[in-house]
Amino acid sequence: MPLGDAPNYSTPRTLGLALVSILGSLAHFTLGALDYGNVSRYLGLYGMLLAALLLVFGVLSLIRYAEAQDAMTDPSPRTPMYSTPHERLTFLVGTGLNALCALTALAWAAGGQLVPWHLAAAAVNLWAVWLAWQAKPRPSED
């Protein structure tokens, strides 16, 4: 990334990924509380654990977005500090967590009573997967 480029975390897709991930995690928590007794206890606990991890991912991504926005208003020239190995890993984790949550929602829809709501939660997670895939950093042409 050449000096002066905007950090990848400052993009609107990163903000969207953070917000959609938070929305998806809250949907899974709510559905988990409402439909917990109708599925396997282990599937329910697994789904809510994934939702907790997704919530942490969403909040940390939101914090990184805010930090990147703040860094862009710094009067000093930006250095390529965001071009680090963890940047790509962050978006891969977002893709993986959202994909696992979508699969869990589909499994929960097969055994639960709130089928349309679980399918809607899966759709939110698939939207986040698409955002994460689109927001992942491209290899630099250095």
Side-chain angles (χ1 to χ4, degrees), residues 7-21 57-58 60-62 64-66 68 87 90-91 131 135-136:
N8 197 50
Y9 291 130
S10 69
T11 63
R13 281 204 173 116
T14 301
L15 175 62
L17 172 62
L19 295 176
V20 171
S21 293
F57 170 80
L60 289 177
S61 295
L62 191 60
R64 282 189 173 156
Y65 173 80
E87 184 182 41
T90 299
F91 293 101
L131 285 171
K136 75 179 182 350

PDB file of all heavy atoms in Angstrom, residues 7-21 57-58 60-62 64-66 68 87 90-91 131 135-136:
ATOM      1  N   PRO A   7      -6.460   3.615   4.859  1.00  0.00           N
ATOM      2  CA  PRO A   7      -6.395   2.267   5.419  1.00  0.00           C
ATOM      3  C   PRO A   7      -7.643   1.467   5.056  1.00  0.00           C
ATOM      4  O   PRO A   7      -8.734   2.023   4.959  1.00  0.00           O
ATOM      5  CB  PRO A   7      -6.301   2.488   6.923  1.00  0.00           C
ATOM      6  CG  PRO A   7      -6.423   3.935   7.162  1.00  0.00           C
ATOM      7  CD  PRO A   7      -6.464   4.644   5.864  1.00  0.00           C
ATOM      8  N   ASN A   8      -7.477   0.187   4.853  1.00  0.00           N
ATOM      9  CA  ASN A   8      -8.595  -0.662   4.460  1.00  0.00           C
ATOM     10  C   ASN A   8      -9.711  -0.636   5.496  1.00  0.00           C
ATOM     11  O   ASN A   8     -10.881  -0.745   5.167  1.00  0.00           O
ATOM     12  CB  ASN A   8      -8.106  -2.089   4.227  1.00  0.00           C
ATOM     13  CG  ASN A   8      -9.095  -2.902   3.447  1.00  0.00           C
ATOM     14  OD1 ASN A   8      -9.556  -2.460   2.404  1.00  0.00           O
ATOM     15  ND2 ASN A   8      -9.442  -4.064   3.941  1.00  0.00           N
ATOM     16  N   TYR A   9      -9.349  -0.488   6.770  1.00  0.00           N
ATOM     17  CA  TYR A   9     -10.365  -0.465   7.824  1.00  0.00           C
ATOM     18  C   TYR A   9     -11.263   0.754   7.751  1.00  0.00           C
ATOM     19  O   TYR A   9     -12.284   0.805   8.407  1.00  0.00           O
ATOM     20  CB  TYR A   9      -9.701  -0.501   9.197  1.00  0.00           C
ATOM     21  CG  TYR A   9      -9.041  -1.802   9.541  1.00  0.00           C
ATOM     22  CD1 TYR A   9      -7.745  -1.834  10.017  1.00  0.00           C
ATOM     23  CD2 TYR A   9      -9.717  -3.005   9.399  1.00  0.00           C
ATOM     24  CE1 TYR A   9      -7.135  -3.021  10.342  1.00  0.00           C
ATOM     25  CE2 TYR A   9      -9.111  -4.200   9.718  1.00  0.00           C
ATOM     26  CZ  TYR A   9      -7.821  -4.206  10.195  1.00  0.00           C
ATOM     27  OH  TYR A   9      -7.238  -5.388  10.517  1.00  0.00           O
ATOM     28  N   SER A  10     -10.878   1.776   6.997  1.00  0.00           N
ATOM     29  CA  SER A  10     -11.660   3.009   6.946  1.00  0.00           C
ATOM     30  C   SER A  10     -12.754   2.982   5.881  1.00  0.00           C
ATOM     31  O   SER A  10     -13.453   3.963   5.711  1.00  0.00           O
ATOM     32  CB  SER A  10     -10.733   4.195   6.688  1.00  0.00           C
ATOM     33  OG  SER A  10     -10.231   4.124   5.367  1.00  0.00           O
ATOM     34  N   THR A  11     -12.918   1.878   5.191  1.00  0.00           N
ATOM     35  CA  THR A  11     -13.873   1.836   4.087  1.00  0.00           C
ATOM     36  C   THR A  11     -15.304   1.648   4.587  1.00  0.00           C
ATOM     37  O   THR A  11     -15.528   1.066   5.653  1.00  0.00           O
ATOM     38  CB  THR A  11     -13.529   0.694   3.115  1.00  0.00           C
ATOM     39  OG1 THR A  11     -13.641  -0.551   3.825  1.00  0.00           O
ATOM     40  CG2 THR A  11     -12.128   0.841   2.561  1.00  0.00           C
ATOM     41  N   PRO A  12     -16.274   2.102   3.816  1.00  0.00           N
ATOM     42  CA  PRO A  12     -17.674   1.882   4.199  1.00  0.00           C
ATOM     43  C   PRO A  12     -18.036   0.393   4.302  1.00  0.00           C
ATOM     44  O   PRO A  12     -18.898   0.023   5.095  1.00  0.00           O
ATOM     45  CB  PRO A  12     -18.467   2.551   3.070  1.00  0.00           C
ATOM     46  CG  PRO A  12     -17.535   3.551   2.489  1.00  0.00           C
ATOM     47  CD  PRO A  12     -16.166   2.968   2.646  1.00  0.00           C
ATOM     48  N   ARG A  13     -17.365  -0.458   3.527  1.00  0.00           N
ATOM     49  CA  ARG A  13     -17.646  -1.900   3.633  1.00  0.00           C
ATOM     50  C   ARG A  13     -17.250  -2.436   5.000  1.00  0.00           C
ATOM     51  O   ARG A  13     -17.894  -3.324   5.530  1.00  0.00           O
ATOM     52  CB  ARG A  13     -16.930  -2.666   2.532  1.00  0.00           C
ATOM     53  CG  ARG A  13     -17.651  -2.572   1.227  1.00  0.00           C
ATOM     54  CD  ARG A  13     -17.297  -3.742   0.340  1.00  0.00           C
ATOM     55  NE  ARG A  13     -18.130  -3.694  -0.841  1.00  0.00           N
ATOM     56  CZ  ARG A  13     -17.676  -3.515  -2.052  1.00  0.00           C
ATOM     57  NH1 ARG A  13     -16.391  -3.377  -2.259  1.00  0.00           N
ATOM     58  NH2 ARG A  13     -18.502  -3.484  -3.070  1.00  0.00           N
ATOM     59  N   THR A  14     -16.168  -1.927   5.564  1.00  0.00           N
ATOM     60  CA  THR A  14     -15.763  -2.363   6.896  1.00  0.00           C
ATOM     61  C   THR A  14     -16.797  -1.925   7.928  1.00  0.00           C
ATOM     62  O   THR A  14     -17.146  -2.696   8.823  1.00  0.00           O
ATOM     63  CB  THR A  14     -14.380  -1.798   7.256  1.00  0.00           C
ATOM     64  OG1 THR A  14     -13.439  -2.243   6.293  1.00  0.00           O
ATOM     65  CG2 THR A  14     -13.945  -2.252   8.633  1.00  0.00           C
ATOM     66  N   LEU A  15     -17.296  -0.712   7.792  1.00  0.00           N
ATOM     67  CA  LEU A  15     -18.360  -0.252   8.688  1.00  0.00           C
ATOM     68  C   LEU A  15     -19.595  -1.130   8.526  1.00  0.00           C
ATOM     69  O   LEU A  15     -20.198  -1.562   9.512  1.00  0.00           O
ATOM     70  CB  LEU A  15     -18.704   1.212   8.405  1.00  0.00           C
ATOM     71  CG  LEU A  15     -19.875   1.787   9.198  1.00  0.00           C
ATOM     72  CD1 LEU A  15     -19.576   1.759  10.694  1.00  0.00           C
ATOM     73  CD2 LEU A  15     -20.186   3.195   8.724  1.00  0.00           C
ATOM     74  N   GLY A  16     -19.956  -1.425   7.277  1.00  0.00           N
ATOM     75  CA  GLY A  16     -21.114  -2.295   7.026  1.00  0.00           C
ATOM     76  C   GLY A  16     -20.905  -3.685   7.594  1.00  0.00           C
ATOM     77  O   GLY A  16     -21.818  -4.262   8.210  1.00  0.00           O
ATOM     78  N   LEU A  17     -19.712  -4.229   7.418  1.00  0.00           N
ATOM     79  CA  LEU A  17     -19.413  -5.554   7.952  1.00  0.00           C
ATOM     80  C   LEU A  17     -19.548  -5.564   9.469  1.00  0.00           C
ATOM     81  O   LEU A  17     -20.132  -6.493  10.037  1.00  0.00           O
ATOM     82  CB  LEU A  17     -18.002  -5.978   7.538  1.00  0.00           C
ATOM     83  CG  LEU A  17     -17.465  -7.260   8.162  1.00  0.00           C
ATOM     84  CD1 LEU A  17     -18.326  -8.458   7.764  1.00  0.00           C
ATOM     85  CD2 LEU A  17     -16.024  -7.481   7.746  1.00  0.00           C
ATOM     86  N   ALA A  18     -19.033  -4.542  10.121  1.00  0.00           N
ATOM     87  CA  ALA A  18     -19.129  -4.474  11.582  1.00  0.00           C
ATOM     88  C   ALA A  18     -20.582  -4.404  12.031  1.00  0.00           C
ATOM     89  O   ALA A  18     -21.011  -5.154  12.918  1.00  0.00           O
ATOM     90  CB  ALA A  18     -18.352  -3.266  12.099  1.00  0.00           C
ATOM     91  N   LEU A  19     -21.354  -3.530  11.411  1.00  0.00           N
ATOM     92  CA  LEU A  19     -22.751  -3.361  11.826  1.00  0.00           C
ATOM     93  C   LEU A  19     -23.602  -4.588  11.509  1.00  0.00           C
ATOM     94  O   LEU A  19     -24.439  -5.003  12.320  1.00  0.00           O
ATOM     95  CB  LEU A  19     -23.333  -2.104  11.174  1.00  0.00           C
ATOM     96  CG  LEU A  19     -22.696  -0.785  11.620  1.00  0.00           C
ATOM     97  CD1 LEU A  19     -23.281   0.378  10.848  1.00  0.00           C
ATOM     98  CD2 LEU A  19     -22.836  -0.583  13.114  1.00  0.00           C
ATOM     99  N   VAL A  20     -23.402  -5.186  10.348  1.00  0.00           N
ATOM    100  CA  VAL A  20     -24.173  -6.376   9.982  1.00  0.00           C
ATOM    101  C   VAL A  20     -23.769  -7.562  10.864  1.00  0.00           C
ATOM    102  O   VAL A  20     -24.623  -8.362  11.251  1.00  0.00           O
ATOM    103  CB  VAL A  20     -24.012  -6.696   8.478  1.00  0.00           C
ATOM    104  CG1 VAL A  20     -24.619  -8.021   8.115  1.00  0.00           C
ATOM    105  CG2 VAL A  20     -24.649  -5.589   7.645  1.00  0.00           C
ATOM    106  N   SER A  21     -22.501  -7.653  11.224  1.00  0.00           N
ATOM    107  CA  SER A  21     -22.078  -8.723  12.128  1.00  0.00           C
ATOM    108  C   SER A  21     -22.708  -8.565  13.506  1.00  0.00           C
ATOM    109  O   SER A  21     -23.150  -9.533  14.121  1.00  0.00           O
ATOM    110  CB  SER A  21     -20.550  -8.748  12.249  1.00  0.00           C
ATOM    111  OG  SER A  21     -19.967  -9.121  11.038  1.00  0.00           O
ATOM    112  N   PHE A  57     -16.265  -9.828  17.300  1.00  0.00           N
ATOM    113  CA  PHE A  57     -15.697  -9.454  16.009  1.00  0.00           C
ATOM    114  C   PHE A  57     -16.315  -8.146  15.503  1.00  0.00           C
ATOM    115  O   PHE A  57     -15.600  -7.247  15.029  1.00  0.00           O
ATOM    116  CB  PHE A  57     -15.919 -10.560  14.975  1.00  0.00           C
ATOM    117  CG  PHE A  57     -15.565 -10.140  13.584  1.00  0.00           C
ATOM    118  CD1 PHE A  57     -14.250 -10.130  13.169  1.00  0.00           C
ATOM    119  CD2 PHE A  57     -16.546  -9.742  12.692  1.00  0.00           C
ATOM    120  CE1 PHE A  57     -13.915  -9.714  11.890  1.00  0.00           C
ATOM    121  CE2 PHE A  57     -16.222  -9.327  11.415  1.00  0.00           C
ATOM    122  CZ  PHE A  57     -14.900  -9.321  11.013  1.00  0.00           C
ATOM    123  N   GLY A  58     -17.637  -8.029  15.578  1.00  0.00           N
ATOM    124  CA  GLY A  58     -18.309  -6.826  15.093  1.00  0.00           C
ATOM    125  C   GLY A  58     -17.906  -5.578  15.854  1.00  0.00           C
ATOM    126  O   GLY A  58     -17.644  -4.532  15.266  1.00  0.00           O
ATOM    127  N   LEU A  60     -15.099  -5.137  17.641  1.00  0.00           N
ATOM    128  CA  LEU A  60     -13.697  -4.813  17.348  1.00  0.00           C
ATOM    129  C   LEU A  60     -13.537  -4.207  15.952  1.00  0.00           C
ATOM    130  O   LEU A  60     -12.726  -3.293  15.752  1.00  0.00           O
ATOM    131  CB  LEU A  60     -12.819  -6.054  17.487  1.00  0.00           C
ATOM    132  CG  LEU A  60     -12.614  -6.546  18.920  1.00  0.00           C
ATOM    133  CD1 LEU A  60     -11.792  -7.826  18.923  1.00  0.00           C
ATOM    134  CD2 LEU A  60     -11.959  -5.484  19.773  1.00  0.00           C
ATOM    135  N   SER A  61     -14.308  -4.689  14.987  1.00  0.00           N
ATOM    136  CA  SER A  61     -14.251  -4.105  13.638  1.00  0.00           C
ATOM    137  C   SER A  61     -14.765  -2.675  13.644  1.00  0.00           C
ATOM    138  O   SER A  61     -14.223  -1.811  12.940  1.00  0.00           O
ATOM    139  CB  SER A  61     -15.071  -4.946  12.659  1.00  0.00           C
ATOM    140  OG  SER A  61     -14.510  -6.217  12.524  1.00  0.00           O
ATOM    141  N   LEU A  62     -15.796  -2.420  14.437  1.00  0.00           N
ATOM    142  CA  LEU A  62     -16.323  -1.062  14.557  1.00  0.00           C
ATOM    143  C   LEU A  62     -15.284  -0.135  15.189  1.00  0.00           C
ATOM    144  O   LEU A  62     -15.101   1.005  14.743  1.00  0.00           O
ATOM    145  CB  LEU A  62     -17.613  -1.082  15.381  1.00  0.00           C
ATOM    146  CG  LEU A  62     -18.445   0.178  15.407  1.00  0.00           C
ATOM    147  CD1 LEU A  62     -18.898   0.565  14.000  1.00  0.00           C
ATOM    148  CD2 LEU A  62     -19.665  -0.041  16.305  1.00  0.00           C
ATOM    149  N   ARG A  64     -12.012  -0.588  15.063  1.00  0.00           N
ATOM    150  CA  ARG A  64     -10.949  -0.386  14.051  1.00  0.00           C
ATOM    151  C   ARG A  64     -11.386   0.630  12.998  1.00  0.00           C
ATOM    152  O   ARG A  64     -10.576   1.429  12.526  1.00  0.00           O
ATOM    153  CB  ARG A  64     -10.604  -1.707  13.375  1.00  0.00           C
ATOM    154  CG  ARG A  64      -9.737  -2.555  14.242  1.00  0.00           C
ATOM    155  CD  ARG A  64      -9.249  -3.743  13.476  1.00  0.00           C
ATOM    156  NE  ARG A  64      -8.284  -4.457  14.287  1.00  0.00           N
ATOM    157  CZ  ARG A  64      -8.000  -5.723  14.141  1.00  0.00           C
ATOM    158  NH1 ARG A  64      -8.592  -6.418  13.208  1.00  0.00           N
ATOM    159  NH2 ARG A  64      -7.121  -6.304  14.906  1.00  0.00           N
ATOM    160  N   TYR A  65     -12.659   0.579  12.614  1.00  0.00           N
ATOM    161  CA  TYR A  65     -13.171   1.560  11.646  1.00  0.00           C
ATOM    162  C   TYR A  65     -13.045   2.969  12.222  1.00  0.00           C
ATOM    163  O   TYR A  65     -12.567   3.880  11.540  1.00  0.00           O
ATOM    164  CB  TYR A  65     -14.627   1.247  11.291  1.00  0.00           C
ATOM    165  CG  TYR A  65     -15.260   2.305  10.438  1.00  0.00           C
ATOM    166  CD1 TYR A  65     -15.017   2.351   9.072  1.00  0.00           C
ATOM    167  CD2 TYR A  65     -16.078   3.287  10.993  1.00  0.00           C
ATOM    168  CE1 TYR A  65     -15.572   3.338   8.279  1.00  0.00           C
ATOM    169  CE2 TYR A  65     -16.639   4.264  10.210  1.00  0.00           C
ATOM    170  CZ  TYR A  65     -16.386   4.292   8.855  1.00  0.00           C
ATOM    171  OH  TYR A  65     -16.937   5.271   8.079  1.00  0.00           O
ATOM    172  N   ALA A  66     -13.462   3.149  13.484  1.00  0.00           N
ATOM    173  CA  ALA A  66     -13.381   4.475  14.111  1.00  0.00           C
ATOM    174  C   ALA A  66     -11.931   4.937  14.228  1.00  0.00           C
ATOM    175  O   ALA A  66     -11.626   6.113  13.979  1.00  0.00           O
ATOM    176  CB  ALA A  66     -14.046   4.438  15.483  1.00  0.00           C
ATOM    177  N   ALA A  68      -9.445   4.063  12.278  1.00  0.00           N
ATOM    178  CA  ALA A  68      -8.957   4.376  10.933  1.00  0.00           C
ATOM    179  C   ALA A  68      -9.492   5.725  10.469  1.00  0.00           C
ATOM    180  O   ALA A  68      -8.765   6.500   9.834  1.00  0.00           O
ATOM    181  CB  ALA A  68      -9.356   3.274   9.955  1.00  0.00           C
ATOM    182  N   GLU A  87      -4.462  -7.785   9.028  1.00  0.00           N
ATOM    183  CA  GLU A  87      -5.556  -7.135   8.304  1.00  0.00           C
ATOM    184  C   GLU A  87      -6.310  -8.149   7.446  1.00  0.00           C
ATOM    185  O   GLU A  87      -7.526  -8.202   7.471  1.00  0.00           O
ATOM    186  CB  GLU A  87      -5.011  -6.000   7.443  1.00  0.00           C
ATOM    187  CG  GLU A  87      -6.099  -5.227   6.751  1.00  0.00           C
ATOM    188  CD  GLU A  87      -5.558  -4.132   5.861  1.00  0.00           C
ATOM    189  OE1 GLU A  87      -4.553  -4.372   5.165  1.00  0.00           O
ATOM    190  OE2 GLU A  87      -6.152  -3.057   5.853  1.00  0.00           O
ATOM    191  N   THR A  90      -8.219 -10.634   9.663  1.00  0.00           N
ATOM    192  CA  THR A  90      -9.445 -10.091  10.243  1.00  0.00           C
ATOM    193  C   THR A  90     -10.645 -10.351   9.338  1.00  0.00           C
ATOM    194  O   THR A  90     -11.707 -10.776   9.800  1.00  0.00           O
ATOM    195  CB  THR A  90      -9.285  -8.576  10.489  1.00  0.00           C
ATOM    196  OG1 THR A  90      -8.217  -8.380  11.409  1.00  0.00           O
ATOM    197  CG2 THR A  90     -10.554  -7.963  11.032  1.00  0.00           C
ATOM    198  N   PHE A  91     -10.479 -10.131   8.065  1.00  0.00           N
ATOM    199  CA  PHE A  91     -11.596 -10.325   7.145  1.00  0.00           C
ATOM    200  C   PHE A  91     -11.878 -11.807   6.909  1.00  0.00           C
ATOM    201  O   PHE A  91     -13.016 -12.206   6.684  1.00  0.00           O
ATOM    202  CB  PHE A  91     -11.358  -9.558   5.850  1.00  0.00           C
ATOM    203  CG  PHE A  91     -11.394  -8.076   6.083  1.00  0.00           C
ATOM    204  CD1 PHE A  91     -10.231  -7.348   6.173  1.00  0.00           C
ATOM    205  CD2 PHE A  91     -12.595  -7.432   6.271  1.00  0.00           C
ATOM    206  CE1 PHE A  91     -10.263  -5.988   6.430  1.00  0.00           C
ATOM    207  CE2 PHE A  91     -12.646  -6.076   6.536  1.00  0.00           C
ATOM    208  CZ  PHE A  91     -11.478  -5.353   6.614  1.00  0.00           C
ATOM    209  N   LEU A 131     -19.997  -9.058   2.401  1.00  0.00           N
ATOM    210  CA  LEU A 131     -19.283  -7.822   2.735  1.00  0.00           C
ATOM    211  C   LEU A 131     -17.835  -8.105   3.129  1.00  0.00           C
ATOM    212  O   LEU A 131     -16.921  -7.384   2.719  1.00  0.00           O
ATOM    213  CB  LEU A 131     -19.996  -7.090   3.879  1.00  0.00           C
ATOM    214  CG  LEU A 131     -21.280  -6.358   3.530  1.00  0.00           C
ATOM    215  CD1 LEU A 131     -21.984  -5.885   4.789  1.00  0.00           C
ATOM    216  CD2 LEU A 131     -21.009  -5.200   2.600  1.00  0.00           C
ATOM    217  N   ALA A 135     -14.539  -6.802   1.231  1.00  0.00           N
ATOM    218  CA  ALA A 135     -13.695  -5.850   1.949  1.00  0.00           C
ATOM    219  C   ALA A 135     -12.293  -6.364   2.214  1.00  0.00           C
ATOM    220  O   ALA A 135     -11.449  -5.610   2.691  1.00  0.00           O
ATOM    221  CB  ALA A 135     -14.370  -5.476   3.276  1.00  0.00           C
ATOM    222  N   LYS A 136     -12.036  -7.627   1.897  1.00  0.00           N
ATOM    223  CA  LYS A 136     -10.703  -8.163   2.206  1.00  0.00           C
ATOM    224  C   LYS A 136      -9.645  -7.417   1.406  1.00  0.00           C
ATOM    225  O   LYS A 136      -9.876  -7.025   0.267  1.00  0.00           O
ATOM    226  CB  LYS A 136     -10.658  -9.666   1.979  1.00  0.00           C
ATOM    227  CG  LYS A 136     -10.600 -10.114   0.546  1.00  0.00           C
ATOM    228  CD  LYS A 136     -10.541 -11.635   0.501  1.00  0.00           C
ATOM    229  CE  LYS A 136     -10.441 -12.240  -0.836  1.00  0.00           C
ATOM    230  NZ  LYS A 136     -10.584 -11.575  -2.029  1.00  0.00           N
TER     231      LYS A 136
END
